[in-house]
Amino acid sequence: LQLGHALKLQGRLDEALDAYARADALAPVNHAALELAALREAARMRLPALARAARERGDLAGAAAHCRAHLDAHPEDAPVLVQLGHALKDGGDAAGAEGCYRRAMALAPDDADIPLQLGHALKLQGRLDEALEAYARSDALAPVNHAALELAA
């Protein structure tokens, strides 16, 4: 367990995961299981965090690469699909963004932000009738949001 702590502090997350797993196997009713779960979650969120940082720096290709790497392991992570859509849209690939938003919408049909983002991608492609439908869907899911502004425009 202590080895896991030390490795985690050094940023050696893969080795820390192994150490926590060994400690948990030796004594399953201890703090190793909690540390292992927390570290697994931190590792799971590492690529999305790197993607956000890359996008904020303007490195859209890097952001997309981090999102895709995460989605290889977690294909049903709707928020990361949305994040990939943002990187693609910002990089000029509105059609690619549309695909991401549609996949995310299938996974999280009650999230009002996703059809809003889909509407933006459709609008960028000149598909205004479809964009209006997406904005209306977003507005129906969360009547007080930016979709109402898009519908009024």
Side-chain angles (χ1 to χ4, degrees):
L1 179 62
Q2 295 306 314
L3 175 60
H5 292 327
L7 292 167
K8 182 173 74 170
L9 290 173
Q10 294 174 16
R12 297 162 57 187
L13 299 182
D14 291 336
E15 292 172 85
L17 276 170
D18 290 339
Y20 286 134
R22 284 192 308 271
D24 186 49
L26 291 171
V29 183
N30 67 18
H31 295 285
L34 297 175
E35 290 291 341
L36 184 58
L39 195 54
R40 280 187 177 141
E41 179 62 14
R44 188 181 78 79
M45 296 312 297
R46 183 174 57 91
L47 288 171
L50 291 171
R52 275 189 300 281
R55 185 169 173 241
E56 288 170 7
R57 287 191 316 272
D59 178 8
L60 301 175
H66 289 306
C67 287
R68 286 186 176 112
H70 175 83
L71 290 166
D72 285 345
H74 308 281
E76 296 187 0
D77 193 331
V80 176
L81 281 164
V82 170
Q83 194 173 356
L84 176 57
H86 294 340
L88 295 174
K89 181 179 65 180
D90 292 350
D93 183 3
E98 175 191 350
C100 292
Y101 297 143
R102 288 191 186 281
R103 281 179 52 205
M105 212 161 54
L107 294 167
D110 296 329
D111 185 332
D113 184 58
I114 300 172
L116 174 66
Q117 299 305 324
L118 174 62
H120 295 330
L122 292 166
K123 187 167 86 171
L124 287 171
Q125 296 175 72
R127 295 161 56 193
L128 300 182
D129 289 340
E130 291 174 81
L132 284 172
E133 289 174 18
Y135 292 138
R137 179 174 177 171
S138 177
D139 189 52
L141 289 169
V144 182
N145 69 16
H146 295 285
L149 299 175
E150 293 290 343
L151 283 171

